[in-house]
Amino acid sequence: MSKEQTVIDIRDLSVTFHRGRKPVKAVNGVSLSVKAGEVVALLGESGSGKSVTMRSLLRLHPKGTDIAGSMTVSGRDVMALSTRELGQLRGATVSMVFQEPRLALDPVYTIGQQIEETIMRHEKVSRQAASDRALALFQKVRIPSPERRLKNYPHEMSGGMLQRSMIAMALACNPKVLLADEPTTALDATVQIQILLLIRELQKEYGLSVIFVTHDIGVAAEVADRIAVMYAGRIVEEGRVGDIIRDPKHPYTKGLLGARVELAHGRDRLVTIPGSPPDLAAMPPGCAFAPRCGQASDICLRDVPLLKPIGETGNIACIQYA
Amino acid sequence: MAAITAEIVPAAPISVPKSPGFWSGVLHRLCRDPVALAALAVLVVIVAVAILAPYIAPYDPTKGSVIRRLKPIGTEGYVLGTDELGRDMLSRLIYGARLSLIMGVVPVPIAFVIGSIIGIIAGYTGGITNTLIMRTVDVFYAFPSVLLAVALSGALGSGLTNALVSLTVVFIPQIARVAESVTTQIRNLDYVDAARASGAPAMTIIRVHVLGNVLGPIFVFATSLISVSMILASGLSFLGLGVRPPDAEWGLMLNTLRTAIYNNPAVAALPGVMIFITSICFNLFSDGLRQAMDVKS
């Protein structure tokens, strides 16, 4: 690692859910580190384990979920924290923005009350001070007529406005790390870019480390410094945004880049990746992508390729580059 | 990071005007609902009459006379007629409101509190705890309400207190069921996850997010039980397990007057009319209250 301070360090994380008959291994040996002030996009399709990886950082999984490996957030070992310490970590050091702001805000309280509640949970300040801070936050995320909006209930606001409120709430206690779980997926295209720019702007201003989960490679390119591509619970390729967009190595990343709607322009059909992701409860023995890969050989079906460094900053898990 | 705190404090002093608050909003919305207000007015009158019974009632409700049995409605001196023992119906209805209201209203809030606690704990913890609690609740729930109330009060012995206890026990499983199902839904919603992600301990989540969202639906269900409670109470009284004659209670009166249904149907129906009016007013008022408490309206 370079001299820059590593804020998030995930080593060999595996998460197994025990629901139903078979255990489901949603995350399978993921290692990821995020430096101070860096934005890392976790890219992958539904069920690739990107959200699960992120939620593990706050230990938000239901009881009976097996989490193996180690996770360090700003010097603290997340796995060793007591419930009390975990409560102090959540929201104050690490906070999270959810995909559906409409569902992530409690419908029976005003937005202002919810932000005040969050501030007062972590800092011993008066309600007046908390409500002043909430107003300042609303101005920060550029919500028009913030005084009035703070008194709105979630159903009285639009999706974009709610996501701005969510971001304001996430920043309420000056966190070091922001976890964004597809924060723009539920929004209109025009609102999406505004929210992305807002996140990027606030991230620079506050020096936040961000893990940004998305399935949209365009969004990842817009917001991230680095991209980690996940497939079936593993990271298959990782590198700087420019390198990945310009020169994707892993067949899956190539597939993702080729499957963008923007590129379909002028073509008859959208290029897709054939097949579907493997069942996480019954993973193939070799490379998880091999059954869908045009370049797969016998060894791909037999052995799981390891994530190996490629170039100066990248990593890749593909036999072709080993 | 200290710099950020400084930055977030606004440059110019701003005063956030104090918000009007939740309950004043509820009151405001309730005032614009004529049906709920009318229902409330009727309930207030009934309660006032029950409290002031000794001053209002024209006759002693227990004093009868064989010569003036079953006088029809409108008889001079006996505005609502007399019952099968010649007691003044108006006086009996006025006094009857006391016991009927007690038996109808008291078990419900007690069951509401206990049932909600049981249901919310079961719904929030889930897993084995949920199974244990809810299957136990199901055992009680499996019996028809009337049968369970009669069996419990029979086992406990007659009397007002025992009748109240048995009615409470009858309602707890019903309320617990509703509380559990609503809590289970809410527990899996994003805002509970979001609250956990912002560092809220389990108690705070239950107090703020679960209670805030669960109490409304349970409250509506519970108020609908008030009328059921009044009817069940009258059934218990009829079997000699609740209020005993000659005390006046609407359910008991309804049952004793049933012998007179062919001779003087209008008088015999009066206690039933009172039960009907009271329970429908409770229902209408609770409905209005629920709408007023719903911030989305």
Side-chain angles (χ1 to χ4, degrees), chain A residues 147-169:
Chain A
E147 292 92 344
R148 198 164 51 82
R149 285 300 186 180
L150 278 170
K151 276 180 238 144
N152 277 158
Y153 288 95
H155 70 276
E156 296 170 316
M157 288 168 85
S158 69
M161 211 73 95
L162 283 176
Q163 197 56 289
R164 284 173 193 267
S165 315
M166 265 316 277
I167 293 170
M169 195 152 124

Short mmCIF file of all heavy atoms in Angstrom, two decimals, chain A residues 147-169:
data_model
loop_
_atom_site.label_atom_id
_atom_site.label_comp_id
_atom_site.label_asym_id
_atom_site.label_seq_id
_atom_site.Cartn_x
_atom_site.Cartn_y
_atom_site.Cartn_z
N GLU A 147 -36.25 25.14 5.40
CA GLU A 147 -36.99 25.24 6.67
C GLU A 147 -38.32 24.50 6.56
O GLU A 147 -38.73 23.78 7.46
CB GLU A 147 -37.28 26.71 7.04
CG GLU A 147 -36.07 27.53 7.42
CD GLU A 147 -35.49 28.25 6.22
OE1 GLU A 147 -35.84 27.88 5.07
OE2 GLU A 147 -34.70 29.19 6.43
N ARG A 148 -38.98 24.73 5.42
CA ARG A 148 -40.29 24.13 5.23
C ARG A 148 -40.15 22.62 4.97
O ARG A 148 -40.92 21.81 5.48
CB ARG A 148 -40.97 24.80 4.05
CG ARG A 148 -42.46 24.61 3.97
CD ARG A 148 -43.07 25.61 3.02
NE ARG A 148 -42.40 25.61 1.72
CZ ARG A 148 -42.66 24.73 0.75
NH1 ARG A 148 -43.57 23.80 0.95
NH2 ARG A 148 -42.04 24.79 -0.40
N ARG A 149 -39.15 22.25 4.20
CA ARG A 149 -38.96 20.84 3.83
C ARG A 149 -38.64 19.96 5.03
O ARG A 149 -38.99 18.78 5.05
CB ARG A 149 -37.84 20.72 2.78
CG ARG A 149 -38.27 21.18 1.41
CD ARG A 149 -39.42 20.36 0.94
NE ARG A 149 -39.79 20.66 -0.44
CZ ARG A 149 -40.79 20.04 -1.06
NH1 ARG A 149 -41.50 19.13 -0.43
NH2 ARG A 149 -41.08 20.35 -2.30
N LEU A 150 -37.97 20.51 6.02
CA LEU A 150 -37.64 19.72 7.21
C LEU A 150 -38.90 19.25 7.92
O LEU A 150 -38.91 18.24 8.61
CB LEU A 150 -36.80 20.56 8.18
CG LEU A 150 -35.31 20.63 7.88
CD1 LEU A 150 -34.65 21.66 8.75
CD2 LEU A 150 -34.65 19.27 8.08
N LYS A 151 -39.97 20.01 7.73
CA LYS A 151 -41.22 19.66 8.41
C LYS A 151 -42.10 18.76 7.56
O LYS A 151 -43.23 18.45 7.93
CB LYS A 151 -41.97 20.93 8.80
CG LYS A 151 -41.45 21.48 10.11
CD LYS A 151 -42.20 22.74 10.49
CE LYS A 151 -41.24 23.89 10.64
NZ LYS A 151 -41.82 25.14 10.19
N ASN A 152 -41.61 18.37 6.40
CA ASN A 152 -42.37 17.48 5.53
C ASN A 152 -42.24 16.03 5.99
O ASN A 152 -41.22 15.63 6.54
CB ASN A 152 -41.84 17.57 4.10
CG ASN A 152 -42.44 18.75 3.35
OD1 ASN A 152 -41.90 19.22 2.39
ND2 ASN A 152 -43.58 19.22 3.81
N TYR A 153 -43.30 15.28 5.72
CA TYR A 153 -43.22 13.83 5.89
C TYR A 153 -42.70 13.24 4.58
O TYR A 153 -42.86 13.86 3.52
CB TYR A 153 -44.60 13.26 6.23
CG TYR A 153 -45.05 13.62 7.62
CD1 TYR A 153 -45.86 14.71 7.86
CD2 TYR A 153 -44.62 12.86 8.70
CE1 TYR A 153 -46.24 15.04 9.15
CE2 TYR A 153 -44.99 13.18 9.98
CZ TYR A 153 -45.81 14.27 10.21
OH TYR A 153 -46.18 14.59 11.48
N PRO A 154 -42.10 12.04 4.66
CA PRO A 154 -41.51 11.48 3.44
C PRO A 154 -42.46 11.42 2.24
O PRO A 154 -42.03 11.65 1.12
CB PRO A 154 -41.09 10.06 3.88
CG PRO A 154 -40.79 10.21 5.31
CD PRO A 154 -41.77 11.24 5.83
N HIS A 155 -43.76 11.16 2.49
CA HIS A 155 -44.65 11.03 1.33
C HIS A 155 -44.92 12.37 0.65
O HIS A 155 -45.50 12.41 -0.42
CB HIS A 155 -45.97 10.39 1.75
CG HIS A 155 -46.82 11.29 2.61
ND1 HIS A 155 -46.64 11.39 3.97
CD2 HIS A 155 -47.80 12.14 2.29
CE1 HIS A 155 -47.49 12.27 4.45
NE2 HIS A 155 -48.21 12.74 3.46
N GLU A 156 -44.50 13.46 1.30
CA GLU A 156 -44.76 14.77 0.70
C GLU A 156 -43.62 15.24 -0.20
O GLU A 156 -43.66 16.34 -0.71
CB GLU A 156 -45.00 15.80 1.81
CG GLU A 156 -46.23 15.50 2.64
CD GLU A 156 -46.33 16.38 3.87
OE1 GLU A 156 -45.32 16.59 4.56
OE2 GLU A 156 -47.43 16.85 4.15
N MET A 157 -42.59 14.40 -0.35
CA MET A 157 -41.43 14.83 -1.12
C MET A 157 -41.19 13.92 -2.31
O MET A 157 -41.59 12.76 -2.31
CB MET A 157 -40.19 14.87 -0.22
CG MET A 157 -40.25 16.02 0.77
SD MET A 157 -39.01 15.89 2.05
CE MET A 157 -37.62 16.63 1.27
N SER A 158 -40.49 14.43 -3.31
CA SER A 158 -40.19 13.63 -4.50
C SER A 158 -38.99 12.72 -4.22
O SER A 158 -38.26 12.92 -3.25
CB SER A 158 -39.85 14.55 -5.66
OG SER A 158 -38.62 15.18 -5.41
N GLY A 159 -38.78 11.75 -5.10
CA GLY A 159 -37.72 10.77 -4.90
C GLY A 159 -36.34 11.41 -4.81
O GLY A 159 -35.54 11.08 -3.94
N GLY A 160 -36.07 12.35 -5.70
CA GLY A 160 -34.76 13.00 -5.71
C GLY A 160 -34.54 13.79 -4.43
O GLY A 160 -33.47 13.74 -3.82
N MET A 161 -35.60 14.46 -4.01
CA MET A 161 -35.54 15.26 -2.78
C MET A 161 -35.30 14.36 -1.58
O MET A 161 -34.53 14.68 -0.68
CB MET A 161 -36.87 15.99 -2.63
CG MET A 161 -36.77 17.30 -1.94
SD MET A 161 -36.02 18.49 -3.01
CE MET A 161 -37.48 19.24 -3.68
N LEU A 162 -35.97 13.19 -1.58
CA LEU A 162 -35.81 12.26 -0.48
C LEU A 162 -34.39 11.71 -0.44
O LEU A 162 -33.81 11.54 0.63
CB LEU A 162 -36.79 11.09 -0.62
CG LEU A 162 -38.24 11.38 -0.24
CD1 LEU A 162 -39.10 10.17 -0.54
CD2 LEU A 162 -38.34 11.74 1.22
N GLN A 163 -33.83 11.46 -1.63
CA GLN A 163 -32.47 10.92 -1.64
C GLN A 163 -31.50 11.99 -1.13
O GLN A 163 -30.55 11.68 -0.42
CB GLN A 163 -32.11 10.42 -3.05
CG GLN A 163 -30.91 9.48 -3.10
CD GLN A 163 -31.05 8.26 -2.21
OE1 GLN A 163 -30.99 8.35 -0.99
NE2 GLN A 163 -31.25 7.09 -2.81
N ARG A 164 -31.76 13.24 -1.45
CA ARG A 164 -30.94 14.33 -0.89
C ARG A 164 -31.07 14.34 0.63
O ARG A 164 -30.07 14.52 1.35
CB ARG A 164 -31.39 15.68 -1.45
CG ARG A 164 -30.92 15.93 -2.87
CD ARG A 164 -31.53 17.20 -3.44
NE ARG A 164 -31.32 17.27 -4.88
CZ ARG A 164 -30.28 17.89 -5.44
NH1 ARG A 164 -29.40 18.51 -4.71
NH2 ARG A 164 -30.15 17.89 -6.75
N SER A 165 -32.30 14.13 1.12
CA SER A 165 -32.50 14.09 2.57
C SER A 165 -31.72 12.94 3.20
O SER A 165 -31.13 13.07 4.27
CB SER A 165 -33.97 13.93 2.92
OG SER A 165 -34.75 14.77 2.15
N MET A 166 -31.77 11.77 2.50
CA MET A 166 -31.05 10.60 2.99
C MET A 166 -29.56 10.92 3.11
O MET A 166 -28.90 10.55 4.06
CB MET A 166 -31.18 9.43 1.98
CG MET A 166 -32.24 8.40 2.19
SD MET A 166 -32.47 7.80 3.83
CE MET A 166 -31.25 6.54 4.01
N ILE A 167 -29.04 11.61 2.10
CA ILE A 167 -27.62 11.96 2.09
C ILE A 167 -27.34 12.93 3.24
O ILE A 167 -26.36 12.77 3.98
CB ILE A 167 -27.21 12.56 0.72
CG1 ILE A 167 -27.31 11.47 -0.35
CG2 ILE A 167 -25.80 13.12 0.78
CD1 ILE A 167 -27.16 11.97 -1.76
N ALA A 168 -28.23 13.90 3.42
CA ALA A 168 -28.08 14.84 4.53
C ALA A 168 -28.04 14.09 5.85
O ALA A 168 -27.21 14.34 6.73
CB ALA A 168 -29.23 15.85 4.53
N MET A 169 -28.94 13.10 5.99
CA MET A 169 -29.00 12.33 7.22
C MET A 169 -27.73 11.51 7.41
O MET A 169 -27.22 11.39 8.51
CB MET A 169 -30.21 11.41 7.16
CG MET A 169 -30.61 10.83 8.46
SD MET A 169 -32.38 10.52 8.40
CE MET A 169 -32.38 8.82 8.78
#
